[in-house]
Amino acid sequence: MKNILVISSSPRKNGNSDILCDHFIRGAQENGHKIEKIQLAGKTINPCIACYACKKGKCIHDDAAPEIIQKMLAADVIVLATPVYFYSMCAQLKSLIDRNVMVYPDMTDKEFYFLVTMADTAQEMFRGTIEALNGFVACCENSKCKGSVCASGVYERGSVNGTRFTEEAYLLGKSVK
């Protein structure tokens, strides 16, 4: 049994990337994994300002990031779900990733999965987002991305329902060993 943390970063609850999270979770639950889903919607995560107060043990921001980061450190598997805005991850996820600046050396031996949605229909337009997410994974020693679902052509809330992408997310969750 693995400890899986699913981070749904969409600013819209029940948005397309959030829906993919639920399908991934269903697949992973069938294998008996322990799963926690965190929705960043409605949470305050301030951007890192590179003041390095965290070096002294406490970030200057009093927000949700430290608690989420502790859960990331404790997880075996981290699922990062994001809608794509202007061919990159959403600001909420980027802020959370940046806030890992002082702990990423301790973020080791993780399995990552990506669930990504966008309105554009061209799969190659996911390239920048996936490269950015893989950049974070590369900073986490002995960690790797084990799989991703890139759902293209989904824009309106719920439009991912009824597509092959929900089944892909389910199967990806089911593949976690």
Side-chain angles (χ1 to χ4, degrees), residues 38 40 42-46 61-70 96 99:
I38 296 175
L40 299 187
K43 295 190 183 317
T44 300
I45 300 177
N46 294 301
H61 296 302
D62 184 18
D63 62 10
E67 180 181 348
I68 297 169
I69 291 168
Q70 287 305 309
L96 179 63
R99 292 285 294 283

Side-chain angles (χ1 to χ4, degrees), residues 3-163:
N3 180 16
I4 301 174
L5 181 64
V6 177
I7 300 174
S8 178
S9 69
S10 176
R12 293 191 303 189
K13 287 184 181 178
N14 302 312
N16 292 312
S17 58
D18 193 44
I19 290 167
L20 291 182
C21 289
D22 294 339
H23 287 275
F24 182 97
I25 289 168
R26 185 171 52 90
Q29 282 175 330
E30 290 179 9
N31 287 341
H33 298 295
K34 179 183 173 203
I35 302 159
E36 180 177 0
K37 178 181 172 186
I38 296 175
Q39 292 183 292
L40 299 187
K43 295 190 183 317
T44 300
I45 300 177
N46 294 301
C48 180
I49 60 169
C51 69
Y52 296 105
C54 53
K55 275 185 160 180
K56 297 177 183 145
K58 184 158 172 44
C59 180
I60 64 161
H61 296 302
D62 184 18
D63 62 10
E67 180 181 348
I68 297 169
I69 291 168
Q70 287 305 309
K71 290 177 181 194
M72 291 172 74
L73 287 166
D76 302 308
V77 175
I78 300 171
V79 179
L80 301 175
T82 183
V84 173
Y85 299 142
F86 300 102
Y87 305 103
S88 189
M89 72 186 83
C90 69
Q92 291 80 354
L93 183 56
K94 181 63 170 130
S95 287
L96 179 63
I97 287 173
D98 288 351
R99 292 285 294 283
N100 278 271
V101 69
M102 291 312 298
V103 299
Y104 79 86
D106 299 324
M107 188 113 21
T108 61
D109 305 305
K110 306 291 182 197
E111 295 176 10
F112 284 87
Y113 292 85
F114 306 147
L115 303 174
V116 187
T117 61
M118 79 174 168
D120 197 316
T121 58
Q123 282 285 313
E124 65 269 10
M125 301 314 288
F126 283 108
R127 189 175 309 119
T129 304
I130 298 300
E131 285 178 8
L133 293 170
N134 276 325
F136 174 59
V137 173
C139 293
C140 302
E141 190 173 321
N142 292 324
S143 298
K144 68 183 272 187
C145 177
K146 301 283 282 186
S148 62
V149 174
C150 293
S152 58
V154 295
Y155 178 68
E156 296 298 330
R157 181 180 294 174
S159 62
V160 75
N161 286 319
T163 69

